Amino acid sequence: MAPYASDDSTTAGEVDEQRSGRRKAARYIVPVTVVGVAAATIGLVPALADSGDPDLPKITAQQLIEKIAKSDVQQLSGTVRISTDLGLPNLGGLESGLLSGAAGQGEGGSSADPTAKLTELASGTHTLRVAADGPDKQKLSLLENAAEYSIIHNGKDVWGYDSKSNEVYHGTSSESPEHGKDQQPPATPKDFAEEALKAVDDTTSVTVDGTAQVAGRDAYKLVVEPKQSGSTVGAITVAVDAKTGMPLKFTLTPAGGGPAVVDAGFTKVSFARPAASTFDFTPPKGAKVTEEKDAGKARDEASGETPRKAPGKPFDLGAAPKAGKDSGKGPDGMKTIGEGWTAIATFDTGGEGVPSGKAGGELGGFMDSLGDKVHGKFGSGTVFSTRLVNALVTDDGKVYAGLVTKDALVKAADAGK
C-alpha cells in the first residue's frame, strides 16, 4: 500500500495522524525548493507552432536578441497553451498540498490567492487567456473544467477570482509593493523570454535556427544552449515574431532527452487594444472576499510561523543570487557556487536533514520514497529530483540545488567540507 493511503479500517485518529504526517512532509520538501524552483521554471515560459517555415531575411543571433530587447508591445490579447513535464513524483492528493504550501497558501488561505493558484501550472497541460493594455492593465485567466480562475490588475488593484469556489482575493500596489507590479503574473511571452536571456553569457551558445510560424505569424527561432557539461538544461528555443520582435513561443528541453520540460505558447494572438471592460472587476454577489493583509495573517496563524514577507511575483527567476555572493532574497545566507548553467544555490537550514529509514519512522519511509540517499566526504543526505531541478539536503541540514546533475551536487557538497 502506498504511503498514507487509507482503507476502510482506518480510524479517525489515524486519518488525523496521516494528515499531520503529510503536513510535516510538506515542511521538509518546501525548504528543499524542488517544487518552488520547478514552479519558478514556468517563468521561462511560452509552444504550439503552425506548420510551414516562412522565408524571412537573414538575421544574426545578436540582431535577434536586440530585436527582442527593442520590442515594445503594449497591447495584446490571445490564448496560450502550456504543457509542463517536470517529472515531479506522483504524490496523489499530497502533491497539490505541497504546491500550495510552496507558494504560501497553506491552511487559512484563500483559493483565489494568485501566488498559490498559479502553482498549478507546474504540471500538466493548461489553457490560458491573456490580455494587456500597458503596464497598469493585465488579465490572465486559467481555464478549467466548467470553471475559470482569473487575475486582474487594473491600476492599484490586483484581483484574483476563483469561480469554482466563488472566492475573491484582493490586494493593492499601495498596500504591498510586492503584490503590485512585481506581483503581477507574466503578462506577455516577452516577460518569459527576457528571464531566459538573462542567462546568456560566456557559458552560453546562442544561434538562429531557421524560421517557424506561431499562431499564424512569421517568426525566427532563437536557440540558447549551455556550453558547460553537467547542466540538466539541453536547449531553450524561443520563436520571435518577425514583425514586432515579441517572443511567441518558448520550449525548454532537458539534457537527458525525452519530451520538453516546458512547451507553451500562443495558439491565437492579436496586437489590437483589448476592450477597456476586459480589465473591469467587481466581486460577484455572495463571493467570499479575502484582503491580502488578512490572508497573510491567517496563513501565519494557521502554520504557527512568524509573519513572512510577501513573496515576489510567482515565477520570478530574477531572484537567483549572484555567483559567490549572499542573496538579498530567499533563505538567509544563500550563496551560489560556480557560474552560468552549472551554478548551485546553497544555504544552511540550521536544522536537521530529511527524516529517513527506520529511524525516521513512517515519515522517514515516505521521504525515502521521494528521494535518493547519497554519500560523500560531506557525509550523507537525500537528493530530490525533477527532470530539470535537483536538490541535495544533507543530514546536517545544508541544501544544494540547481539545474545540475546529482553528481554535481555531491561534488559541491564535498567541496564545502
Side-chain angles (χ1 to χ4, degrees):
M1 184 168 60
Y4 301 113
S6 61
D7 55 30
D8 294 338
S9 64
T10 304
T11 67
E14 289 172 333
V15 169
D16 289 340
E17 183 177 353
Q18 291 169 0
R19 288 173 179 167
S20 176
R22 292 179 180 180
R23 288 194 292 270
K24 291 178 181 177
R27 287 175 180 271
Y28 280 103
I29 290 180
V30 171
V32 178
T33 70
V34 172
V35 174
V37 178
T41 306
I42 305 300
L44 292 176
V45 180
L48 286 177
D50 297 336
S51 59
D53 296 333
D55 185 14
L56 296 172
K58 298 295 183 181
I59 191 171
T60 67
Q62 182 61 37
Q63 289 171 332
L64 190 52
I65 290 175
E66 291 174 357
K67 192 177 186 69
I68 295 173
K70 293 177 181 178
S71 177
D72 189 30
V73 173
Q74 295 291 314
Q75 292 87 30
L76 69 84
S77 59
T79 303
V80 176
R81 191 179 179 209
I82 299 177
S83 295
T84 311
D85 184 5
L86 290 163
L88 293 172
N90 183 10
L91 303 176
L94 178 58
E95 181 175 6
S96 60
L98 291 175
L99 288 173
S100 64
Q105 178 185 3
E107 297 177 28
S110 168
S111 67
D113 185 338
T115 311
K117 188 66 178 179
L118 292 182
T119 56
E120 293 181 11
L121 301 180
S123 63
T125 298
H126 305 272
T127 299
L128 307 174
R129 283 203 299 259
V130 298
D133 184 6
D136 294 327
K137 293 183 179 182
Q138 295 94 32
K139 181 176 181 178
L140 181 152
S141 296
L142 172 60
L143 308 184
E144 303 171 313
N145 292 330
E148 182 175 313
Y149 175 77
S150 295
I151 302 174
I152 305 99
H153 170 231
N154 192 340
K156 294 192 302 181
D157 292 302
V158 179
W159 298 94
Y161 176 59
D162 186 352
S163 68
K164 185 176 182 180
S165 64
N166 198 28
E167 291 192 28
V168 174
Y169 186 93
H170 176 240
T172 68
S173 56
S174 60
E175 290 177 359
S176 174
E178 288 91 356
H179 282 265
K181 188 175 187 303
D182 290 340
Q183 182 59 20
Q184 300 162 23
T188 71
K190 180 181 178 182
D191 298 333
F192 311 140
E194 284 179 342
E195 293 297 337
L197 292 177
K198 288 179 183 178
V200 174
D201 57 18
D202 292 341
T203 68
T204 310
S205 167
V206 185
T207 58
V208 177
D209 186 24
T211 62
Q213 274 206 338
V214 179
R217 296 187 65 88
D218 294 348
Y220 292 100
K221 293 193 296 184
L222 185 72
V223 179
V224 180
E225 298 176 286
K227 292 181 180 179
Q228 303 160 298
S229 60
S231 174
T232 54
V233 177
I236 292 172
T237 302
V238 181
V240 182
D241 186 67
K243 185 175 181 180
T244 67
M246 193 188 86
L248 300 173
K249 167 184 168 66
F250 186 102
T251 303
L252 188 157
T253 54
V261 173
V262 178
D263 187 22
F266 282 101
T267 58
K268 295 180 181 179
V269 64
S270 169
F271 297 115
R273 171 171 289 176
S277 59
T278 301
F279 311 101
D280 293 338
F281 181 79
T282 300
K285 185 177 181 180
K288 175 186 175 182
V289 180
T290 301
E291 293 294 333
E292 176 188 325
K293 57 182 182 297
D294 296 331
K297 181 179 179 181
R299 284 195 300 266
D300 295 330
E301 290 177 349
S303 64
E305 298 174 353
T306 56
R308 295 165 295 174
K309 182 181 178 182
K313 65 182 180 181
F315 309 129
D316 185 6
L317 293 186
K322 297 298 182 180
K325 296 184 178 181
D326 291 343
S327 169
K329 302 178 181 179
D332 291 340
M334 178 184 283
K335 295 184 178 181
T336 299
I337 301 171
E339 62 179 358
W341 299 89
T342 56
I344 297 172
T346 179
F347 60 94
D348 194 335
T349 64
E352 298 179 358
V354 177
S356 64
K358 294 182 179 180
E362 188 175 18
L363 180 57
F366 176 70
M367 299 306 290
D368 285 346
S369 71
L370 298 179
D372 298 323
K373 292 296 292 185
V374 293
H375 304 274
K377 295 178 182 178
F378 67 89
S380 60
T382 306
V383 173
F384 298 92
S385 301
T386 70
R387 297 178 63 221
L388 193 66
V389 182
N390 286 320
L392 164 64
V393 183
T394 66
D395 288 349
D396 59 358
K398 293 183 177 62
V399 176
Y400 298 84
L403 305 178
V404 296
T405 63
K406 296 179 185 180
D407 289 343
L409 294 178
V410 171
K411 289 180 181 179
D414 282 343
K417 296 305 290 183

